[in-house]
Amino acid sequence: DGGITQSPKYLFRKEGQNVTLSCEQNLNHDAMYWYRQDPGQGLRLIYYSQIVNDFQKGDIAEGYSVSREKKESFPLTVTSAQKNPTAFYLCASRKGTGPYEQYFGPGTRLTVT
Amino acid sequence: AQSVTQPDIHITVSEGASLELRCNYSYGATPYLFWYVQSPGQGLQLLLKYFSGDTLVQGIKGFEAEFKRSQSSFNLRKPSVHWSDAAEYFCAVGAENSGYALNFGKGTSLLVTP
């Protein structure tokens, strides 16, 4: 089955630690995205990548980093510089270079204490 | 800058009743518009999309939406709601100048009563 996988579903970390969230897709999509979801806030864009080895900051990139070494993978690192990292993180992908819809993974809930 | 407004945070409807969820957008060019649905703790599922052409678009699960450029709206409708429709609904707009990243509204939570 084609789709997007995010692992783990739940992640717990202590404050001050970096943590990496995994996102893998086997849809052969070119573009990938990371969004953050907080209650009552909708989804906000963290980073996106349209091709391998290239990515752009979104609206709330501070305290986050990404890499895109392979087409199918777009991991997100939440660094200790992120002031309020506890949230639900969603990865998405989109085919081609046109305005196609995005497909979303199941999400990772990160809790930092 | 583009933005999306969903005026209703919560909506409650009776099972079998009709539904309309409102969405207003602000965007200079022709918008690429989407409605997604999210069950608790899950990812988002696409209900329908509008890029161009016929302004009334049909989606999955019996949903439809109408694009009205004059009102900058893209409201979601369903003639008869089922209990399984209870979820969070998000309207979103995509822009070419940001890699078609989506700008989301804050969502409308739908409760369906018996």
Side-chain angles (χ1 to χ4, degrees):
Chain A
D1 279 340
I4 301 174
T5 56
Q6 292 186 244
S7 60
K9 188 165 180 62
Y10 299 96
L11 194 52
F12 299 89
R13 282 294 184 270
K14 294 291 187 183
E15 200 172 310
Q17 294 178 336
N18 292 353
V19 59
T20 297
L21 281 60
S22 168
C23 177
E24 303 277 334
Q25 54 98 1
N26 60 4
L27 300 167
N28 199 32
H29 284 177
D30 297 296
M32 297 186 74
Y33 306 81
W34 274 105
Y35 296 90
R36 169 182 171 141
Q37 185 177 23
D38 297 283
Q41 294 296 316
L43 282 75
R44 292 178 290 168
L45 180 67
I46 304 173
Y47 268 98
Y48 67 97
S49 168
Q50 298 190 81
I51 56 172
V52 173
N53 291 323
D54 187 53
F55 46 82
Q56 284 74 42
K57 293 181 179 180
D59 300 321
I60 56 165
E62 184 174 351
Y64 300 97
S65 66
V66 294
S67 63
R68 187 89 185 274
E69 297 177 359
K70 299 185 296 183
K71 186 176 184 179
E72 58 270 22
S73 178
F74 191 40
L76 173 74
T77 297
V78 184
T79 75
S80 56
Q82 167 51 231
K83 291 184 176 14
N84 186 17
T86 295
F88 190 50
Y89 291 87
L90 287 154
C91 178
S93 69
R94 176 183 59 79
K95 72 175 182 180
T97 57
Y100 300 102
E101 62 270 26
Q102 292 183 20
Y103 293 83
F104 283 81
T108 292
R109 184 166 299 281
L110 172 65
T111 302
V112 177
T113 57
Chain B
Q2 56 178 313
S3 65
V4 178
T5 301
Q6 293 181 247
D8 304 304
I9 298 173
H10 301 283
I11 281 188
T12 300
V13 299
S14 300
E15 191 168 15
S18 63
L19 171 70
E20 182 170 30
L21 301 182
R22 295 183 291 164
C23 173
N24 294 98
Y25 67 90
S26 172
Y27 186 59
T30 299
Y32 303 110
L33 295 160
F34 306 84
W35 274 100
Y36 283 87
V37 61
Q38 183 182 35
S39 297
Q42 304 297 315
L44 275 68
Q45 181 183 24
L46 179 71
L47 287 175
L48 45 78
K49 61 189 178 187
Y50 173 78
F51 294 161
S52 64
D54 193 345
T55 57
L56 184 63
V57 293
Q58 302 296 321
I60 63 171
K61 304 184 179 186
F63 286 93
E64 66 177 28
E66 187 171 12
F67 171 64
K68 293 185 177 180
R69 185 186 299 277
S70 61
Q71 298 177 19
S72 297
S73 69
F74 188 55
N75 294 349
L76 181 71
R77 301 194 293 249
K78 187 170 185 178
S80 178
V81 171
H82 187 261
W83 64 266
S84 60
D85 293 324
E88 188 91 15
Y89 290 81
F90 292 96
C91 181
V93 60
E96 183 175 358
N97 61 0
S98 62
Y100 299 106
L102 296 177
N103 194 335
F104 285 87
K106 294 189 176 181
T108 297
S109 179
L110 175 65
L111 177 65
V112 181
T113 59

